[in-house]
Amino acid sequence: MATFPMEEPMCLIENQESKGLIVNQEALQILLGITQPVVVVAIVGKYRTGKSYLMNKLAGGKNGFELGSTIQSKTKGIWMWCVPHPTKQGHALVLLDTEGLGDVEKGDSKNDAWIFSLAILLSSTLVYNSMGTIDQQAMDNLHYVTELTERIKVKSPEGQAKEEEVDESGEFKRFFPSFIWCVRDFTLKLEKKDVPITEDQYLLDALELKNGVSKRVQDYNLPRRCIRHYFHSHKCFVFDRPASTSDSLQRLEELQESELEPEFVKKTTTFCSYIYEKCNAKVLVGGYTVTGRLLGNLAVSYTEAIRSGSIPCMENAVIALAQIENSRAVQEALAKYEEEMSKNIGKFPTETQEEFLNIHQECEIEATKVFMGLSFKDENLEYQKQLIHELAEKKSKYSLYNEEESAKKCKAILQKLSESLERDISEGKFSKPGGYKQFLAEKNSLVEEYNKTNDKGLKALEILQEFLTEKENVEAAILQADQSLTDKEKEIEEQRAQTEAAEREKQIVEENNRRLEEEMENQKKCLEDHQKMLEEKMEEEKKKIIEQNEWMIKEKLKEQEDMMSKRFHEESEMLKEQIKDLKKQNTAAGGRSLVGDILAAVLLPIALAGRGRGCNKRC
């Protein structure tokens, strides 16, 4: 079975004639095993335009993704190649090579639109690959971008009124990847009115909108408007022809770099460097960084939505993802608690309750850190509540173990110390005048030695009380058999024995009450730790949302200024409303944090339940 890093590509989403789009389970398992952040680069474009060659170069080799030298598309579905990122330490580079759009052999072209949509949904950078120039034909070939509002939903339909028609395209820029247009076999000069221009300016000029309201103008503007408004950055690379002969083009993967056109090699190197240095890891709304595991679950969620006949919804996918990841976060945190506790097992039994509670608190803090690092969108604190509840259960388990270890140790000490006493009892040594006094001397000596013994743990007093209680009948028999004592003296001795037993019982109750107070104080500290870490996490999340909104506002202000300068008043007003809404979101996000109120309301029942668990039968 293939593992990360992969030696060769594997199909991630298969395009089967009978079943449609389906996630390949072996490829999925590879993604699920990647815990690093992922930079996801997807390439789309018509078949036989050299997409696979660029992806192979990004992976660091000539071979891997299959190159198509004939009119047939060599890539079916979406293929994946996961390799360590060449320049970003601790990141994985996930390359997605898509089935060529417009393959005449496929018959059913609707999968082209879904594959294009999946490439956008899964990637952090989308590379569109075309041949020749950026002209109207190239724009027409990119018509899938104009259908994205019908193929991708931002908000769940359940959260909208049935009669409400919501335009979500203004939010696409927040979710969508960066956009790179690669123009292959480019033969024109990069000039405008005889003045040299950059590749990026060439793309921006090609995306210029025309003024007018005719259908022809609207059709011309539509793909350009979508590209401008949906993607948050636009980059262009133009490539010379890689080789001069048709024979060389058909065996591109076999050629050495020295056999390729120098300008093509140079531009390919520049393209790869840009991807490595400038393309960031994929993030979800709110600034959550996507790992391979998250990406795998996203692929399943989106593909299953398409297979069921639904429209992939980003909000629903993130909610489903949060449920999976938060459940995992709870289990990982509990495993961390167990790991940390196992390091302290050698300290059991602890001499005091405080010592045990300190160990527990340290382990709980480490476990909570794990949970905070993995969880996201736990908006009602459902999973944090579950974690606290299960940590309390584990604490009870270890507390019981600590007490059991103490009881075992105390019983072993008493067994050894009482060997002489037990022997003397069985031999009838105390069955004589003055025997009771001798019995008391040996018993008190045993108790004194027991009390001097260290590291007995929390059950020392209770186990001693049990031991002495077991000896009460023997002691009473020896007392009554001792003919050297008068009846009055025997009565006094009985009362003394009862008083001592009652005093020890009182000490046990007082000790347990003191432990209960310590338990409640520790629980309070643990909840304060949870609240502090949660507040820090929510503050960081709030900061990310505000930063993301500020970035969106900046981008839309630039768009609005551009639209105003070119007299596109309708678009300018639409952007004005979107900017206004984003500013409202920032004001709401910057308001007073209610985490303390929420946490108190959610966790108070657990605290009260914990009070019941902390009290034993003697309280």
Side-chain angles (χ1 to χ4, degrees):
M1 183 174 177
T3 56
F4 174 78
M6 299 168 64
E7 294 182 0
E8 59 184 6
M10 176 182 294
C11 190
L12 172 62
I13 300 176
E14 300 172 1
N15 187 5
Q16 300 181 0
E17 287 186 18
S18 58
K19 298 181 179 179
L21 300 174
I22 187 168
V23 175
N24 174 13
Q25 290 302 307
E26 186 176 355
L28 175 62
Q29 291 306 312
I30 294 172
L31 280 179
L32 295 180
I34 300 175
T35 57
Q36 302 167 324
V38 288
V39 177
V40 190
V41 181
I43 192 164
V44 297
K46 286 182 68 66
Y47 67 99
R48 199 172 166 248
T49 55
K51 301 190 316 301
S52 299
Y53 178 84
L54 287 180
M55 298 304 267
N56 287 337
K57 296 304 290 183
L58 284 173
K62 292 186 296 182
N63 299 312
F65 291 111
E66 202 169 348
L67 305 185
S69 58
T70 68
I71 199 168
Q72 293 179 315
S73 172
K74 290 291 186 179
T75 305
K76 298 294 182 183
I78 299 179
W79 283 66
M80 171 186 80
W81 199 351
C82 304
V83 297
H85 198 284
T87 62
K88 287 182 169 63
Q89 187 74 22
H91 286 61
L93 177 62
V94 178
L95 304 171
L96 301 179
D97 188 12
T98 64
E99 182 174 324
L101 306 177
D103 184 356
V104 293
E105 288 197 352
K106 284 188 297 190
D108 185 2
S109 62
K110 72 178 180 182
N111 277 350
D112 282 355
W114 285 126
I115 286 170
F116 183 82
S117 300
L118 283 171
I120 287 175
L121 288 167
L122 296 177
S123 66
S124 52
T125 296
L126 181 75
V127 179
Y128 179 65
N129 196 67
S130 70
M131 302 289 285
T133 60
I134 303 179
D135 54 14
Q136 190 55 41
Q137 180 62 44
M139 287 291 174
D140 291 342
N141 290 337
L142 194 51
H143 64 88
Y144 305 103
V145 77
T146 67
E147 304 167 8
L148 288 175
T149 54
E150 301 169 16
R151 303 272 174 186
I152 296 173
K153 292 296 177 187
V154 174
K155 299 288 185 181
S156 171
E158 288 79 6
Q160 300 170 358
K162 288 184 179 179
E163 68 277 3
E164 189 179 7
E165 193 74 25
V166 181
D167 180 12
E168 300 179 318
S169 61
E171 283 288 295
F172 280 177
K173 184 169 286 193
R174 188 194 298 272
F175 290 88
F176 277 20
S178 58
F179 180 84
I180 298 176
W181 194 320
C182 288
V183 187
R184 309 292 289 276
D185 295 0
F186 185 78
T187 56
L188 302 178
K189 285 186 177 181
L190 281 174
E191 292 181 347
K192 183 178 181 180
K193 297 180 180 179
D194 297 328
V195 177
I197 59 173
T198 64
E199 296 160 303
D200 293 346
Q201 188 59 51
Y202 172 65
L203 173 59
L204 291 177
D205 288 346
L207 296 177
E208 283 287 338
L209 305 181
K210 287 184 178 180
N211 279 300
V213 294
S214 68
K215 185 178 185 305
R216 183 176 178 182
V217 170
Q218 295 301 312
D219 290 345
Y220 176 90
N221 284 345
L222 184 57
R224 292 168 172 82
R225 182 180 285 113
C226 291
I227 294 170
R228 292 169 66 100
H229 294 337
Y230 293 175
F231 301 98
H232 58 74
S233 65
H234 308 89
K235 182 72 180 172
C236 182
F237 291 93
V238 298
F239 294 80
D240 286 353
R241 204 170 161 85
S244 56
T245 66
S246 298
D247 177 65
S248 295
L249 290 173
Q250 291 180 7
R251 53 187 188 89
L252 204 57
E253 72 274 21
E254 300 173 12
L255 300 180
Q256 300 296 320
E257 283 196 353
S258 59
E259 300 176 83
L260 298 173
E261 292 295 329
E263 285 302 314
F264 175 81
V265 173
K266 182 179 178 182
K267 186 51 61 74
T268 301
T269 302
T270 303
F271 167 78
C272 290
S273 296
Y274 179 85
I275 294 288
Y276 296 153
E277 300 297 332
K278 301 296 183 182
C279 296
N280 297 319
K282 183 173 178 62
V283 294
L284 302 174
V285 170
Y288 303 107
T289 301
V290 174
T291 62
R293 186 173 67 243
L294 291 176
L295 182 66
N297 286 321
L298 279 175
V300 171
S301 179
Y302 290 137
T303 305
E304 287 301 313
I306 293 169
R307 281 171 52 78
S308 69
S310 304
I311 296 175
C313 171
M314 287 182 277
E315 182 181 59
N316 286 348
V318 171
I319 290 171
L321 203 60
Q323 291 172 346
I324 293 170
E325 287 303 300
N326 289 340
S327 294
R328 185 185 181 94
V330 170
Q331 296 310 311
E332 293 275 350
L334 293 173
K336 182 64 175 177
Y337 180 85
E338 291 281 2
E339 177 190 334
E340 293 299 316
M341 265 296 188
S342 66
K343 297 175 183 176
N344 290 280
I345 284 292
K347 298 177 182 177
F348 290 2
T350 60
E351 194 64 24
T352 64
Q353 171 83 344
E354 184 180 11
E355 187 181 344
F356 168 78
L357 292 175
N358 287 340
I359 290 172
H360 159 73
Q361 188 174 1
E362 290 171 6
C363 296
E364 181 162 328
I365 287 172
E366 292 304 312
T368 307
K369 284 179 183 177
V370 169
F371 175 80
M372 292 297 178
L374 295 175
S375 65
F376 70 99
K377 288 190 76 67
D378 185 18
E379 292 174 353
N380 296 319
L381 305 185
E382 174 188 351
Y383 293 94
Q384 186 158 12
K385 179 180 177 182
Q386 179 187 343
L387 173 66
I388 293 171
H389 177 77
E390 295 199 31
L391 283 173
E393 293 296 326
K394 287 191 176 293
K395 173 188 175 184
S396 295
K397 181 188 79 171
Y398 279 102
S399 178
L400 180 61
Y401 175 77
N402 189 38
E403 291 181 0
E404 288 172 347
E405 287 296 298
S406 173
K408 282 195 294 184
K409 191 164 186 179
C410 291
K411 287 176 182 179
I413 293 169
L414 284 170
Q415 184 178 9
K416 185 170 182 62
L417 291 175
S418 65
E419 285 177 356
S420 174
L421 181 66
E422 295 289 353
R423 185 171 59 250
D424 289 346
I425 292 171
S426 64
E427 293 176 355
K429 185 176 178 180
F430 306 118
S431 301
K432 61 182 182 181
Y436 181 71
K437 185 176 181 181
Q438 188 178 354
F439 171 82
L440 280 184
E442 284 199 34
K443 185 188 79 168
N444 291 337
S445 176
L446 181 154
V447 171
E448 187 178 347
E449 284 299 315
Y450 175 82
N451 288 333
K452 286 180 181 178
T453 306
N454 295 323
D455 304 324
K456 296 187 295 294
L458 304 175
K459 304 292 282 185
L461 197 55
E462 288 183 43
I463 298 303
L464 176 61
Q465 178 73 331
E466 289 175 10
F467 173 81
L468 295 175
T469 301
E470 289 172 2
K471 295 291 178 284
E472 283 178 355
N473 290 336
V474 173
E475 183 174 343
I478 294 172
L479 175 63
Q480 294 303 321
D482 193 336
Q483 297 177 358
S484 67
L485 297 173
T486 65
D487 289 343
K488 183 63 176 177
E489 287 173 327
K490 289 179 181 179
E491 184 180 342
I492 291 171
E493 286 300 321
E494 284 178 352
Q495 289 177 351
R496 180 195 55 75
Q498 290 171 4
T499 301
E500 287 179 357
E503 184 62 30
R504 287 194 298 271
E505 194 68 33
K506 180 184 176 183
Q507 288 178 16
I508 291 171
V509 172
E510 289 174 350
E511 177 69 16
N512 285 338
N513 286 335
R514 186 180 60 79
R515 288 180 195 166
L516 180 58
E517 290 177 5
E518 289 178 353
E519 172 89 13
M520 293 304 295
E521 185 61 29
N522 175 263
Q523 195 163 49
K524 181 182 176 183
K525 288 179 181 177
C526 287
L527 293 181
E528 286 173 354
D529 289 336
H530 275 271
Q531 180 169 335
K532 181 182 177 183
M533 283 188 268
L534 181 60
E535 285 178 337
E536 288 173 354
K537 181 180 176 70
M538 292 184 74
E539 193 63 35
E540 186 63 30
E541 290 174 355
K542 184 168 70 175
K543 183 180 175 183
K544 287 179 180 177
I545 290 171
I546 291 173
E547 285 177 353
Q548 197 172 56
N549 283 345
E550 289 291 348
W551 171 81
M552 283 278 285
I553 290 169
K554 184 179 176 182
E555 289 293 309
K556 289 184 181 292
L557 282 170
K558 286 194 293 186
E559 284 186 62
Q560 185 190 28
E561 185 180 347
D562 186 47
M563 291 296 101
M564 284 288 288
S565 67
K566 291 162 185 172
R567 299 182 181 179
F568 287 97
H569 299 296
E570 187 177 335
E571 284 86 349
S572 176
E573 283 301 310
M574 179 186 70
L575 287 163
K576 182 180 178 180
E577 287 303 311
Q578 291 175 3
I579 292 166
K580 186 178 177 181
D581 185 55
L582 286 167
K583 288 180 178 179
K584 282 182 182 177
Q585 290 179 32
N586 269 4
T587 301
R592 184 178 75 89
S593 173
L594 300 177
V595 62
D597 301 339
I598 297 170
L599 199 61
V602 170
L603 302 181
L604 184 59
I606 298 177
L608 294 175
R611 182 169 185 168
R613 279 195 298 270
C615 186
N616 65 29
K617 63 183 180 180
R618 292 183 183 269
C619 291

